[in-house]
Structures are given as C-alpha cells and as structure tokens.
Amino acid sequence: MTSNREIHLAGRPQGWPTEDTFRLVETEVPTPGPGQIVVRNQYMSVDPYMRGRMNDVKSYVPPFALDAPLDGAAIGEVVASEAADVAVGTTVLHGLGWREYALLDAAAARPVDPSIAPVSAYLSVLGMTGLTAYAGLLEVAAMKPGETVFVSAAAGAVGSLVGQIARLKGAGRVIGSAGSPAKVERLRALGFDAAFDYHDGVRESLREAAPDGVDVYFDNVGGDHLEAAISAMNLHGRAAICGMIGQYNATEPPAAPRNLALVIGKRLTLRGFLVNDHNDVRAAFVRDVSGWLHDGTLSYDETIVDGIENAPAAFLGLLRGDNLGKMLVRV
C-alpha cells in the first residue's frame, strides 16, 4: 500500500470535455492524522453535475480546482484509522472519489452495511441518485395518484427510478424519453406505460404518448424536452427541474424553451431543486425503497467501467448517454 492514483483536472473545457481535460497522477498513499481515516475506494460515481464544476463560475457548489484531484461520491473500505469510532474494515460512503485512496476526517464518512445490498447500490438506488428521484417526484413535483408523469432521460440513473416510483405510488400513466430503441425497450420492461426515442421528435412523440396531457414533468434534459413538456402540461401542472444535461456542453444560449408564456395561462409551477435540501424525507425514502427492492417491485441498472484510469472515459460516456442506469467506476 504505497502507490495511489488519482484523476486531476488538467484544464477547463470550452464545450465538450475531452480526455485532455483530465490527467492521471501517481502519488503516495496518505497517512491518517488524529480523527482521520484512509479509505480504499471500491466504486466512485460520475454524474452530470460534475460538468458544471469544471467551469470557473460561481454556483451552488465550488468549481473543481485545476491541477488537483476531482471529487464526488465514492464508497470503499477503511484501511487505516486514527478515529476511535471507525474501525479498519468498515465500509463507508464519502465524497472523495476520483482516486484510489482517500484521506478524510472520520466525521465526513458514513458507515454502511454491505450485507444489506451490493456496495455499489449505495451510490445509486440507495444513495443520492435514489433520493433525488424520490424527493423530486413526491416532494418537489408533489405527484398525486392518477396523474400522468413524463420523465426525460428516463433510462438514466435518476430517470429510471422516477418512472418506477411514480408507478409504485399510483401514477395513472408514466411516459419516458430515451436516446435509443434499446433504452426505450428497457423503459417498457421497467413498467413505463409509454416510451419514445427523442430522436424521433420530442413534441410529436410526447403528444402521441400523452393524448390527455401531462400533470408532472421530471426534467433531466432541459431545452427541447422542457419546451415540449410545457406545451403538453395540463392546468396547474408541476415540473421538477433536476438537471439540464442537454445544455451542459453548449457554447451558445439554448434556443428552447420558446413557449414560456404558456406558464401563465396554465398556471404551471417550474421548480428547480437540489437533493441536499430534502434530507427530511430520507427516512421515508429508505423505508420505501428498501421495501421495494426486497419484494422485487423496483429494479435498477448500473453501467460499470473498470479502473481509475478509465474514469474520464466513463464521464465522457455519461455525457454522450452511453450508460443504462447509473454510471459507476469500479476503482
């Protein structure tokens, strides 16, 4: 245990990142000080929000520093500890991904039970991803039984869970958009009532899939999807704005949505949210999702890339939509 590899941000991309945006750096495995632990990461998450952190702009989270390791959710085993309440061998969830070994204060790590579920699940269905889907649908958009729900990027980590949770909570109709025929078929297998390939035209496909309109829209894409949803939404419809991956690499202002005036007459609610604002529903989330996983009524997909050296490729693949479900790197 002497060598540690980590991924640094080598430059700030203009438009799409490339492999040159990142640098693989070899360092020594850190030694813990009082109250600290060293974690051998097993899995790390790559997420769309990380693209925004590559820009040197003010946002809800600080930008990544140049020539320093990136960070993000990760899970691993404690291999060295100077903290009395965290033993070597404990599996912990923490925020220092993009490296093989992480040094952090024990208070910044959350122990989890690897016997309950595969450890990767704590980065997907049982982690921030699952809570985002649950809180966004039920708290932010306040979905009611019988309503029609439309989810964009529905084959992704969050979207695929939103659609299933909507069905389990009594939605009348669940519709999803995805980026390929194979992903559309997967959505139907997950219980979506209708699904379409957005390359076939979002507005037209949504109109056909939701002839009686949409009550709740869960937005992961923005742009043309948001425009189509606004046109399709019923009176007093609600949209939970989770992400806008369709615009993260844009170098020009988006052309859509061009129909925001409809928000007035339809009395729509478009509400952005961050998952960390909804920790008050975590207990209900864990209770519901654990039960659904146990009885087999909720499924989740993972796309796993092996090797810390391939973390940049995994991130770029995520931005292209190469993943089905959660994109993870097995460190």
Side-chain angles (χ1 to χ4, degrees), residues 200-212:
D200 295 331
V202 182
R203 187 187 292 256
E204 300 79 6
S205 298
L206 182 57
R207 187 183 299 117
E208 181 178 345
D212 296 322

Side-chain angles (χ1 to χ4, degrees), residues 210-291:
D212 296 322
V214 170
D215 301 299
V216 168
Y217 172 47
F218 196 102
D219 190 15
N220 293 304
V221 176
D224 57 349
H225 278 75
L226 180 55
E227 182 175 286
I230 289 171
S231 291
M233 288 175 80
N234 293 325
L235 197 67
H236 299 298
R238 289 94 59 208
I241 312 298
C242 177
M244 295 192 175
I245 195 170
Q247 300 167 210
Y248 290 160
N249 296 306
T251 56
E252 298 293 333
R258 298 161 293 186
N259 57 349
L260 283 175
L262 292 177
V263 172
I264 304 168
K266 292 186 176 186
R267 280 84 99 196
L268 304 180
T269 299
L270 311 182
R271 182 180 169 191
F273 75 101
L274 299 177
V275 65
N276 289 337
D277 294 336
H278 297 278
N279 284 317
D280 58 315
V281 301
R282 183 177 292 276
F285 156 71
V286 171
R287 180 200 66 224
D288 284 349
V289 171
S290 297

Side-chain angles (χ1 to χ4, degrees), residues 103 136 150 179 188 206 237 246 252 316:
L103 172 68
F150 170 46
R188 291 175 177 144
L206 182 57
E252 298 293 333
L316 297 176

Side-chain angles (χ1 to χ4, degrees), residues 21-22 123 135 187 245 267:
T21 303
F22 308 90
L123 293 175
L187 295 182
I245 195 170
R267 280 84 99 196

Side-chain angles (χ1 to χ4, degrees), residues 46-306:
V46 291
D47 299 287
Y49 81 88
M50 294 175 174
R51 174 61 187 87
R53 294 190 65 193
M54 294 176 184
N55 300 329
D56 189 12
V57 296
K58 186 177 180 180
S59 184
Y60 63 89
V61 63
F64 292 127
L66 284 174
D67 301 315
L70 292 87
D71 58 69
I75 193 165
E77 181 182 348
V78 176
V79 295
S81 175
E82 291 295 331
D85 54 346
V86 181
V88 170
T90 304
T91 300
V92 297
L93 188 67
H94 62 91
L96 293 182
W98 295 86
R99 67 203 78 188
E100 292 177 320
Y101 291 89
L103 172 68
L104 63 151
D105 292 337
R110 179 164 66 91
V112 299
D113 187 349
S115 69
I116 293 177
V119 293
S120 61
Y122 289 99
L123 293 175
S124 57
V125 64
L126 289 174
M128 181 182 71
T129 297
L131 182 58
T132 299
Y134 187 93
L137 178 70
L138 302 178
E139 294 292 306
V140 178
M143 188 209 83
K144 304 179 185 67
E147 292 189 317
T148 295
V149 177
F150 170 46
V151 187
S152 58
V158 173
S160 59
L161 297 177
V162 171
Q164 293 181 83
I165 294 169
R167 173 176 53 80
L168 290 163
K169 288 291 188 178
R173 186 168 177 78
V174 181
I175 302 159
S177 72
S180 72
K183 289 183 177 181
V184 167
E185 287 305 310
R186 179 56 181 160
L187 295 182
R188 291 175 177 144
L190 290 175
F192 283 68
D193 297 289
F196 60 85
D197 186 335
Y198 66 80
H199 295 103
D200 295 331
V202 182
R203 187 187 292 256
E204 300 79 6
S205 298
L206 182 57
R207 187 183 299 117
E208 181 178 345
D212 296 322
V214 170
D215 301 299
V216 168
Y217 172 47
F218 196 102
D219 190 15
N220 293 304
V221 176
D224 57 349
H225 278 75
L226 180 55
E227 182 175 286
I230 289 171
S231 291
M233 288 175 80
N234 293 325
L235 197 67
H236 299 298
R238 289 94 59 208
I241 312 298
C242 177
M244 295 192 175
I245 195 170
Q247 300 167 210
Y248 290 160
N249 296 306
T251 56
E252 298 293 333
R258 298 161 293 186
N259 57 349
L260 283 175
L262 292 177
V263 172
I264 304 168
K266 292 186 176 186
R267 280 84 99 196
L268 304 180
T269 299
L270 311 182
R271 182 180 169 191
F273 75 101
L274 299 177
V275 65
N276 289 337
D277 294 336
H278 297 278
N279 284 317
D280 58 315
V281 301
R282 183 177 292 276
F285 156 71
V286 171
R287 180 200 66 224
D288 284 349
V289 171
S290 297
W292 293 329
L293 290 173
H294 181 73
D295 64 21
T297 54
L298 182 70
S299 299
Y300 65 98
D301 293 313
E302 295 176 340
T303 299
I304 296 177
V305 174
D306 282 308

